[in-house]
Amino acid sequence: MGLAAAVLVWAMGCKSPVAESQGKETMTEAGAKTPEAGGGSPESEGGKEGAQSPEGEIPDGTTEAGEAQATSEGALFLFENPDMVSPEEIRGCEEYARTAESYMESPALKPVTRGRVEELTELLSGHYEVAGRSDGEGREYYVALRREDAPRYDGFYSLSTGYVDGPEYTAQVCRIGYYEEDGSETVLYEIPEYSLKIFGDPETAEALDRFCFIPCDVPDDRYFMNALEEGGRMELDFMRDHPGLTFFDGDVPALTFFYQDEETVTFWSGLYECCMALDQRECEEVRTLLEDREGTERQEFDSEDEAFKWVRGRDSSVRTTGASLHLGEKVYRFLGSRECRGWVMTYESDKVYLEYNEPAFAFAADRIKAVVGQDYGDFTDTWFDVPLTRASLKFPRRTEREDGTWSFETGFQTVTEPEKLEALAGLMGEAVRGREAVSGCPYTGVLDLVREDGETLKMFVAADSCDSVSYEGRIGFEYGDQKELAEIFDEAMK
């Protein structure tokens, strides 16, 4: 299996809550991220306690050097030989722990000096000083800092990380190595049953200086897992800023909906799915609305395609809203538009059903608007019929440096020329009148539009070679040819 030379953010590990994250971290005092005052989830008091320096109790197996480190510095990590790594790396490691654990809802974490510390030290060929943190209930993580006497590799071009699992392996194996300039790969370490977090730029040799390992058997705790990664902490900040949002749990009745704004694209490249749990009163209310079908239409179809064709034949403006209701094993999807609020699609025994139920639609739309301020019944396929007066695009792009490595920057351009605005309106207007399509592309380009009547619209543009766009970050379309958009925004997308 080939290993990608790229920043690895959980996607190659056994847990993947923030696989879409774009962020990188550097374990240095200057580069470590810290939450704003009052940051983290409101319920994370246990995590804040865990971020404090341990007092008194020192785990069995601590060496004299480790005891001295803990006593003199109040260390969160107890390394066997701390003098074999730079003090700057250790300080950065401590800052990382304080930041991460301030977001956790788990009990206070304490230093770990045995067991998996010894296992990881051996698997890393003794090239790293390893130390860990654990809450004693299965939530734990380990950091590895390269020793001063560890080998250095003159042929290093970029980091290589990935994992393999197949019939020849008894467990998932995390691999760490590097590529040389000619593309040849050297595998340095194989670490079974761990996921990996890397820090820093994978295209520099310093990428091998520090790692964070998470055992695959840690409890399924999204707050804990998210806290260990910068993009995950951004997600927790977003949830904190929008009270009522939580992580989806299939056993709990909930309303989910796709959403994007300029905050979500910093930690999630696609259409981000938000979740609001429903209490008993809300469940009873919406069940009553769904069961009260007197005077409503209910149509049966063999497939979604048939259902969409039928409902759009009646009203061409109808689209999915991006919102769904989860009640036990039943899922209800809401369809509608500014002109038609709204249809409910359900699935039963390999059949698809549509019924018109404005009260149930309003139940979902009202609750979503209260949390994110957006009306999920407001789509209209005639939005671009009114002329545009301004369009602005922020577009991430990759630029090759002179040394062959790549840098990322954001292009920005505002268009006011009538001919360009007319071309853009034609391109996007045709897209939103067409069929829906969501790709796996990163929707990280932000397109802000203003019409003559003052109405605004935010769309998100796929930033790779795809010709995909999302309407308000919740309904996907394809607009034809990215070259046409690049001709309009020739500076931002060059």
Side-chain angles (χ1 to χ4, degrees):
M1 172 180 175
L3 305 178
V7 173
L8 180 68
V9 188
W10 301 117
M12 52 71 59
C14 40
K15 300 282 183 179
S16 304
V18 285
E20 302 292 336
S21 169
Q22 305 297 305
K24 301 177 185 177
E25 295 189 53
T26 303
M27 260 195 199
T28 64
E29 202 168 26
K33 298 289 183 178
T34 55
E36 297 176 0
S41 62
E43 302 81 16
S44 61
E45 293 301 316
K48 293 177 182 177
E49 181 183 349
Q52 304 304 310
S53 301
E55 297 180 3
E57 183 177 340
I58 302 296
D60 291 340
T62 302
T63 64
E64 291 183 6
E67 286 186 4
Q69 178 191 3
T71 302
S72 64
E73 300 179 19
L76 300 184
F77 294 99
L78 303 182
F79 294 97
E80 180 75 15
N81 298 290
D83 56 325
M84 293 303 296
V85 295
S86 73
E88 290 78 11
E89 290 286 359
I90 292 178
R91 284 197 295 270
C93 195
E94 298 273 316
E95 183 63 29
Y96 166 73
R98 290 187 176 89
T99 299
E101 291 176 27
S102 71
Y103 283 80
M104 294 180 185
E105 294 188 322
S106 57
L109 276 69
K110 296 182 179 181
V112 177
T113 60
R114 287 182 170 177
R116 281 172 165 156
V117 168
E118 299 165 335
E119 176 187 58
L120 282 166
T121 299
E122 182 177 352
L123 290 168
L124 291 166
S125 304
H127 298 160
Y128 291 78
E129 285 296 311
V130 179
R133 300 276 293 162
S134 173
D135 69 352
E137 298 181 4
R139 298 170 186 85
E140 53 192 71
Y141 66 99
Y142 299 83
V143 295
L145 304 182
R146 186 152 59 157
R147 290 168 55 98
E148 292 181 354
D149 59 358
R152 304 288 162 166
Y153 308 101
D154 293 337
F156 182 96
Y157 181 73
S158 65
L159 187 68
S160 166
T161 55
Y163 77 96
V164 292
D165 54 356
E168 70 273 30
Y169 299 98
T170 58
Q172 172 187 286
V173 177
C174 168
R175 283 183 171 178
I176 302 172
Y178 67 94
Y179 287 107
E180 297 195 31
E181 193 166 357
D182 63 4
S184 61
E185 179 188 19
T186 298
V187 176
L188 299 173
Y189 314 108
E190 293 192 338
I191 317 293
E193 298 186 329
Y194 286 88
S195 61
L196 174 70
K197 173 78 176 75
I198 71 169
F199 301 86
D201 187 346
E203 295 181 346
T204 65
E206 287 72 26
L208 286 169
D209 286 350
R210 62 202 73 85
F211 297 109
C212 178
F213 293 95
I214 301 87
C216 285
D217 60 359
V218 297
D220 187 13
D221 182 336
R222 286 290 298 275
Y223 285 93
F224 177 82
M225 297 298 290
N226 274 47
L228 293 172
E229 196 274 322
E230 184 180 4
R233 295 193 294 274
M234 290 179 179
E235 182 179 16
L236 294 177
D237 285 338
F238 173 79
M239 293 171 64
R240 176 203 64 188
D241 294 340
H242 296 81
L245 295 185
T246 185
F247 289 116
F248 179 70
D249 180 345
D251 296 328
V252 177
L255 182 63
T256 63
F257 54 99
F258 290 118
Y259 177 82
Q260 279 185 284
D261 62 17
E262 294 191 55
E263 183 176 358
T264 66
V265 297
T266 64
F267 63 82
W268 200 271
S269 63
L271 278 63
Y272 178 67
E273 188 171 35
C274 297
C275 175
M276 291 187 292
L278 301 180
D279 60 27
Q280 184 175 355
R281 180 191 61 78
E282 291 172 316
C283 288
E284 292 174 356
E285 178 184 350
V286 74
R287 282 195 174 101
T288 299
L289 296 175
L290 291 167
E291 291 168 1
D292 184 11
R293 296 191 176 109
E294 184 177 353
T296 64
E297 299 181 63
R298 194 167 194 258
Q299 304 292 328
E300 178 183 298
F301 305 92
D302 291 326
S303 67
E304 281 188 355
D305 285 344
E306 283 187 14
F308 280 120
K309 184 177 180 180
W310 180 85
V311 73
R312 291 198 61 202
R314 295 188 51 148
D315 187 331
S316 63
S317 71
V318 172
R319 299 291 186 278
T320 61
T321 62
S324 299
L325 177 68
H326 303 257
L327 294 177
E329 295 183 354
K330 277 197 170 183
V331 178
Y332 303 82
R333 295 177 65 190
F334 295 97
L335 284 66
S337 66
R338 185 179 295 183
E339 295 79 18
C340 179
R341 306 165 65 99
W343 290 92
V344 181
M345 179 182 286
T346 57
Y347 309 83
E348 298 175 18
S349 303
D350 298 326
K351 295 291 185 180
V352 179
Y353 294 88
L354 273 175
E355 65 179 86
Y356 195 76
N357 191 326
E358 287 190 13
F361 188 99
F363 172 93
D366 290 347
R367 278 154 181 78
I368 293 171
K369 189 172 184 179
V371 172
V372 297
Q374 188 164 296
D375 184 356
Y376 271 50
D378 196 46
F379 170 84
T380 175
D381 61 359
T382 62
W383 197 90
F384 289 94
D385 289 357
V386 177
L388 299 174
T389 58
R390 187 172 71 253
S392 299
L393 177 65
K394 293 179 182 177
F395 195 79
R397 60 195 185 193
R398 204 169 59 148
T399 304
E400 188 173 7
R401 303 188 185 102
E402 290 183 2
D403 62 2
T405 60
W406 294 87
S407 66
F408 292 85
E409 59 184 23
T410 299
F412 178 78
Q413 184 177 0
T414 295
V415 170
T416 56
E417 299 91 329
E419 62 276 10
K420 284 192 171 185
L421 293 174
E422 185 177 353
L424 179 62
L427 195 65
M428 294 302 166
E430 183 176 355
V432 301
R433 286 190 293 271
R435 65 187 301 273
E436 296 178 42
V438 177
S439 71
C441 300
Y443 290 83
T444 50
V446 183
L447 177 61
D448 287 298
L449 305 162
V450 183
R451 302 193 314 190
E452 280 185 354
D453 58 2
E455 190 167 327
T456 62
L457 174 66
K458 191 180 292 288
M459 304 181 84
F460 294 84
V461 181
D464 57 8
S465 59
C466 295
D467 57 357
S468 301
V469 66
S470 70
Y471 187 104
E472 294 183 328
R474 60 191 179 94
I475 312 170
F477 298 98
E478 292 180 347
Y479 59 83
D481 190 340
Q482 194 183 74
K483 290 180 179 179
E484 295 182 60
L485 188 63
E487 288 175 0
I488 299 170
F489 293 100
D490 52 328
E491 288 297 319
M493 298 179 67
K494 69 178 178 180

